[in-house]
Amino acid sequence: MKSIFFVLILSLLLGVIVSAQDRSRPSTSLKSTKAKIESIYTDLAAEKCKTIDSDDSGAGSYEGECPGVGGYALHVLEGDLRQSINLVQKSSGNVWELDLWTVVSGAFSSVGEKAEWRVKRVRGKMVPIAVIVRFNASEDLEHSENITSRLVVAKIAGESVCVTDIVEPVKNANELARNFADLSASKPCKEGPN
């Protein structure tokens, strides 16, 4: 009887020790291995970009290559007092037109001076998953000085690069845009004003 009692106590003690060891190990859940998403900012101001093409005749036109992240660059386009952006993959030469002057607004427009890239670090390299740009449009025909400033989110998901979200001017617009960007990979592309 004593030996059975001793075996039971020994079994209970071993169970407690094994359970305590399991709790002390770091979690290997998906959440703990998920890559952190960060922001990196690059310039879109004309003086920070390399002019590719410029024409001063008529309403004028301009194309400038601006710095990017992870092997990408942004081309700022201007024509007829409207601006848009193309995303360019430097290694392949692939170009994706974001077509902001159609997708967001056809009004006189300009892009902001910074692009916010949402990136993950993969094996020590920055991999962009989305880019956020400010898009300013003069949509009030009677009061052209009134500017509507929106944040535009474009996903970068392999060969699928396009505008997925347009954030209207609200108090937490930057936070909303980042949240949309971080979830943009599976979202459909926008085709015109919402």
Side-chain angles (χ1 to χ4, degrees):
M1 184 77 163
K2 285 183 183 180
S3 62
I4 294 174
F5 183 69
F6 179 73
V7 170
L8 280 172
I9 294 210
L10 188 59
S11 295
L12 283 171
L13 285 173
L14 284 174
V16 168
I17 291 169
V18 169
S19 176
Q21 285 178 339
D22 285 346
R23 278 183 268 152
S24 68
R25 290 184 184 143
S27 171
T28 57
S29 70
L30 287 176
K31 188 172 184 178
S32 66
T33 59
K34 186 177 177 185
K36 180 182 172 194
I37 300 173
E38 306 172 48
S39 287
I40 295 178
Y41 298 87
T42 60
D43 289 308
L44 297 176
E47 61 273 6
K48 303 281 185 167
C49 301
K50 175 185 164 190
T51 300
I52 294 172
D53 188 29
S54 181
D55 181 358
D56 293 336
S57 64
S61 65
Y62 165 82
E63 181 176 356
E65 183 172 287
C66 303
V69 173
Y72 291 90
L74 294 173
H75 284 195
V76 174
L77 312 169
E78 183 173 334
D80 194 26
L81 301 177
R82 293 164 175 82
Q83 289 189 332
S84 187
I85 290 179
N86 290 346
L87 186 82
V88 179
Q89 188 176 39
K90 302 287 277 179
S91 61
S92 67
N94 287 341
V95 177
W96 294 274
E97 297 178 3
L98 298 184
D99 203 19
L100 303 181
W101 39 40
T102 302
V103 175
V104 184
S105 175
F108 296 136
S109 60
S110 65
V111 296
E113 293 197 349
K114 297 275 184 192
E116 179 178 0
W117 299 81
R118 296 297 283 168
V119 299
K120 291 182 180 180
R121 289 184 192 270
V122 179
R123 292 186 218 65
K125 293 184 179 179
M126 292 295 193
V127 177
I129 61 167
V131 64
I132 303 167
V133 295
R134 186 164 295 282
F135 187 79
N136 306 303
S138 174
E139 298 172 325
D140 185 341
L141 296 177
E142 293 181 17
H143 301 281
S144 60
E145 71 279 3
N146 292 342
I147 304 295
T148 303
S149 183
R150 299 176 176 95
L151 292 174
V152 179
V153 177
K155 69 178 176 179
I156 305 169
E159 290 298 310
S160 183
V161 177
C162 63
V163 172
T164 57
D165 292 280
I166 301 165
V167 181
E168 296 296 329
V170 292
K171 185 177 180 181
N172 60 340
N174 290 331
E175 183 181 334
L176 281 173
R178 287 183 195 113
N179 289 337
F180 289 146
D182 295 352
L183 301 171
S184 64
S186 61
K187 291 186 172 187
C189 299
K190 290 206 171 283
E191 295 180 4
N194 43 344

